[in-house]
Amino acid sequence: MLQSLNNLTENTKIEPCNQNCSYCFINYSEVLIRNPLFRGLSNNEVGNLIRDIHHQVKTLHKNDILAIEGDSLDNLIIILEGSVVGDMMDFEGNILRIEKILAGNTIASAFIFGESARLPVTITAQEKTHLLFIQKEELLMLFTKNKIFLKNFLDIISDRAQFLRKKIRLLGLNTIKGKIAFYLLEMVKKSGSQKLILPHTQNEIAEMFGVTRPSVGRVFRELHNDRSIIANGKKVVILDKFRLSDLLRSD
Amino acid sequence: MLQSLNNLTENTKIEPCNQNCSYCFINYSEVLIRNPLFRGLSNNEVGNLIRDIHHQVKTLHKNDILAIEGDSLDNLIIILEGSVVGDMMDFEGNILRIEKILAGNTIASAFIFGESARLPVTITAQEKTHLLFIQKEELLMLFTKNKIFLKNFLDIISDRAQFLRKKIRLLGLNTIKGKIAFYLLEMVKKSGSQKLILPHTQNEIAEMFGVTRPSVGRVFRELHNDRSIIANGKKVVILDKFRLSDLLRSD
DNA sequence: TAATGATTGTAACATATGTTACATAATTTC
DNA sequence: GAAATTATGTAACATATGTTACAATCATTA
């Protein structure tokens, strides 16, 4: 942990780009083009947008901590390569994992403005990760220069709000069994199959919902015993999708 | 309930304004001026902004339902007078009260854009309420015309995101005792006194946190018994603020 | 003011979840 | 491939919370 913080100081120093940087455009244009922030803009337009602003690139190594929940947030942060996770933690060490964020997405974009712009979560790199930073003021300038860019940003923010809404609903209205049912149904949706190899350990699932690992195991056992699923470690076969849906106290 | 829906159809019909409406400006400029959306703009500028766009005013009576969670959201909605509450409900009738919103504020502003712009909560009037609607497309136009307006909107959205973040933290990392402690400490902060007359029934508090009313009563009793508070109906005296803080698994 | 409805207090019991500990199996590292 | 580490399964017990019910008190209405 202390070592990670040291790494942060030494190896993740911001590399400022100059005014007409082509490094980012050449190296990351593919990623940026795919970013929802630039949807509907041509390569040329994206290039111009980036070149016109002061941007910075930062590299994180696996397990590096970019910032702590509550740190001030003055930039839009785009993941160029790699992935990070966002966690909430309390002083007893309990972890609530909010999200894993992949390359091509932005970090905490809904939190950049406001009377006190602070990071909602602690950001940790899951692997070697490259991040592009755009200062808030530059961002505002881009909004006035390009309406599509502005609309894209607003769309992203509202999608993020929907994500937070879903989280609140899940945490506020569901039992652990409901939460696991939600998780399994999401995995089915993602993989398009009732036969799953879960991409998370029970511990990770527990962190997603702010519960304990043995409780996660217990719920899997109960679902197995009442024939909603066949559970064998990470291998899960969904037997009764409707019964899972019924566990989910949704709309 | 059915009666409320009928009321919605008959008495809350949108009153469209014409192109140069001065009705809204004359009647609601005081409220609008105070709205964070118009912060830093002169009366003149606010008047011009409103007059230039197609806006509508809608009236709700007490207990009228404006819209159901999941309904499509095509407008920015500003509360001119009155107040509403936003609730999430599941199919078993459990209610999670997200917020009471007062005049001078906007409803679900963070959710207006996005790939599927939908209301995050069911909106119910607490009293007779006047709402101003600005269509999404008009809003976008206003952003390009007035940078201050755009910045204000972005600030509001980020404040809303912070609100949602806090909600998630509270729901995901706290026991009922922690949630009540949070509630009491918030009331102390609002009133500036350790002697409180709570503005909510136990049932309302239960809805705020998605728990049951007897559990709320139990927690009050336990806090009373361990001398953190003196609780006598809605009258609460905080005896040990630090012990309450300790119950709150916060940062 | 009396009646009615809403709120609060609380008990007994049931259910859900956390805690702790240990054994076994699976995966990763050297 | 062996050793070390991590993940999973699970039990026993403790604690937190929900459910149901009823009595007492308070607030509102006629």
Side-chain angles (χ1 to χ4, degrees):
Chain A
M1 172 71 178
L2 244 188
Q3 183 173 12
S4 291
L5 285 177
N6 285 338
N7 283 348
L8 197 56
T9 343
E10 293 176 20
N11 304 344
T12 56
K13 195 180 195 57
I14 301 185
E15 304 161 23
C17 300
N18 60 36
Q19 194 84 357
N20 291 300
C21 173
S22 51
Y23 175 80
C24 299
F25 181 69
I26 291 174
N27 282 278
Y28 297 121
S29 57
E30 285 304 316
V31 174
L32 291 176
I33 298 291
R34 290 197 325 257
N35 191 306
L37 201 47
F38 300 103
R39 183 188 295 140
L41 299 178
S42 66
N43 285 13
N44 230 22
E45 284 171 312
V46 176
N48 289 335
L49 283 181
I50 299 181
R51 285 207 207 85
D52 279 351
I53 56 172
H54 196 65
H55 54 272
Q56 304 169 327
V57 174
K58 184 180 267 187
T59 302
L60 301 183
H61 297 280
K62 182 172 160 124
N63 294 327
D64 283 352
I65 297 184
L66 169 67
I68 304 286
E69 177 186 349
D71 283 354
S72 114
L73 177 62
D74 299 308
N75 299 273
L76 176 68
I77 308 171
I78 303 175
I79 307 183
L80 300 172
E81 276 183 62
S83 61
V84 304
V85 291
D87 295 324
M88 287 182 182
M89 275 167 277
D90 67 24
F91 54 66
E92 290 170 15
N94 293 297
I95 295 182
L96 183 61
R97 170 140 307 164
I98 301 297
E99 190 182 11
K100 176 174 178 176
I101 314 177
L102 304 177
N105 293 297
T106 55
I107 295 176
S109 40
F111 295 82
I112 296 172
F113 300 99
E115 59 185 49
S116 101
R118 298 196 171 274
L119 261 178
V121 290
T122 294
I123 307 282
T124 310
Q126 290 275 77
E127 48 191 309
K128 183 168 175 177
T129 299
H130 296 291
L131 305 171
L132 176 72
F133 290 68
I134 303 179
Q135 283 189 340
K136 174 150 78 161
E137 286 74 30
E138 307 262 5
L139 198 57
L140 276 173
M141 195 197 67
L142 291 186
F143 292 153
T144 60
K145 292 179 62 169
N146 192 308
K147 276 172 59 178
I148 296 177
F149 187 77
L150 169 62
K151 177 63 164 43
N152 287 339
F153 184 78
L154 293 172
D155 283 338
I156 290 170
I157 288 201
S158 288
D159 290 340
R160 301 316 297 163
Q162 288 288 349
F163 169 80
L164 294 175
R165 174 195 72 87
K166 284 178 191 164
K167 202 92 187 167
I168 286 170
R169 187 172 244 289
L170 191 62
L171 291 174
L173 288 173
N174 274 282
T175 58
I176 301 184
K177 198 171 283 193
K179 290 165 182 172
I180 303 287
F182 170 79
Y183 170 78
L184 291 174
L185 292 171
E186 287 278 301
M187 292 298 125
V188 167
K189 199 190 305 178
K190 269 185 194 164
S191 70
S193 164
Q194 317 258 65
K195 294 189 189 177
L196 304 172
I197 311 272
L198 301 186
H200 301 99
T201 64
Q202 290 186 353
N203 215 57
E204 286 169 335
I205 294 171
E207 284 172 358
M208 284 182 205
F209 302 125
V211 301
T212 59
R213 199 274 309 166
S215 297
V216 172
R218 180 193 288 125
V219 166
F220 273 107
R221 186 158 67 248
E222 286 166 8
L223 290 174
H224 179 95
N225 290 343
D226 77 20
R227 303 189 199 276
S228 301
I229 65 176
I230 298 175
N232 177 22
K234 287 186 187 299
K235 296 192 213 142
V236 175
V237 181
I238 309 294
L239 295 182
D240 190 338
K241 226 166 106 179
F242 296 104
R243 198 183 309 193
L244 288 187
S245 291
D246 284 347
L247 293 173
L248 192 54
R249 292 159 65 173
S250 59
D251 28 356
Chain B
M1 173 69 177
L2 243 187
Q3 184 175 13
S4 291
L5 284 177
N6 286 339
N7 283 347
L8 196 56
T9 341
E10 293 176 23
N11 304 343
T12 56
K13 193 180 197 52
I14 301 187
E15 305 160 23
C17 300
N18 61 36
Q19 195 82 355
N20 291 300
C21 174
S22 50
Y23 174 80
C24 299
F25 181 68
I26 290 174
N27 283 279
Y28 298 121
S29 56
E30 285 305 314
V31 173
L32 290 176
I33 299 290
R34 290 196 325 257
N35 191 307
L37 201 47
F38 300 104
R39 182 189 294 141
L41 299 178
S42 67
N43 285 12
N44 231 21
E45 283 169 313
V46 175
N48 288 335
L49 283 181
I50 300 181
R51 284 206 208 87
D52 279 353
I53 55 173
H54 196 67
H55 53 272
Q56 305 170 323
V57 175
K58 184 179 265 188
T59 301
L60 302 183
H61 296 280
K62 182 174 157 116
N63 295 326
D64 283 354
I65 296 184
L66 170 65
I68 304 286
E69 178 186 348
D71 282 353
S72 112
L73 177 61
D74 300 306
N75 297 274
L76 176 69
I77 309 171
I78 303 176
I79 307 182
L80 300 172
E81 275 182 65
S83 61
V84 302
V85 291
D87 295 324
M88 288 183 179
M89 275 167 274
D90 67 24
F91 55 65
E92 291 172 14
N94 293 298
I95 294 181
L96 183 60
R97 170 141 308 165
I98 301 297
E99 191 182 9
K100 177 175 180 176
I101 314 178
L102 304 177
N105 294 296
T106 55
I107 296 176
S109 39
F111 295 82
I112 297 172
F113 300 99
E115 57 183 52
S116 102
R118 298 196 171 277
L119 262 177
V121 288
T122 294
I123 307 283
T124 310
Q126 291 275 77
E127 49 190 313
K128 183 169 174 174
T129 298
H130 297 291
L131 306 171
L132 176 72
F133 290 70
I134 302 178
Q135 283 189 340
K136 176 150 79 161
E137 287 74 29
E138 308 262 3
L139 197 56
L140 276 172
M141 195 197 67
L142 291 186
F143 291 151
T144 59
K145 291 179 62 171
N146 191 307
K147 276 173 61 177
I148 296 177
F149 187 76
L150 170 63
K151 179 61 165 41
N152 287 338
F153 185 77
L154 293 171
D155 283 338
I156 290 169
I157 289 200
S158 289
D159 290 340
R160 301 316 296 161
Q162 288 288 351
F163 169 80
L164 295 175
R165 173 195 73 88
K166 284 178 193 165
K167 201 92 187 165
I168 286 171
R169 190 172 239 290
L170 191 61
L171 292 174
L173 288 172
N174 274 281
T175 57
I176 301 185
K177 198 171 281 192
K179 290 165 183 170
I180 304 287
F182 170 79
Y183 171 77
L184 291 174
L185 292 172
E186 287 280 298
M187 292 297 125
V188 167
K189 200 189 306 179
K190 271 188 193 157
S191 71
S193 163
Q194 317 259 63
K195 294 188 189 179
L196 304 170
I197 313 273
L198 302 186
H200 301 99
T201 64
Q202 288 186 354
N203 215 58
E204 285 168 336
I205 294 170
E207 284 172 358
M208 284 183 207
F209 302 124
V211 301
T212 57
R213 199 272 310 165
S215 296
V216 172
R218 180 193 291 125
V219 166
F220 272 107
R221 185 157 68 248
E222 285 165 7
L223 290 174
H224 179 94
N225 290 342
D226 77 16
R227 301 189 197 279
S228 301
I229 63 175
I230 298 174
N232 175 22
K234 286 185 190 298
K235 295 189 213 147
V236 175
V237 181
I238 310 294
L239 296 182
D240 191 338
K241 226 165 108 181
F242 297 105
R243 197 182 310 191
L244 287 186
S245 292
D246 283 347
L247 293 173
L248 193 55
R249 293 160 64 172
S250 57
D251 24 357

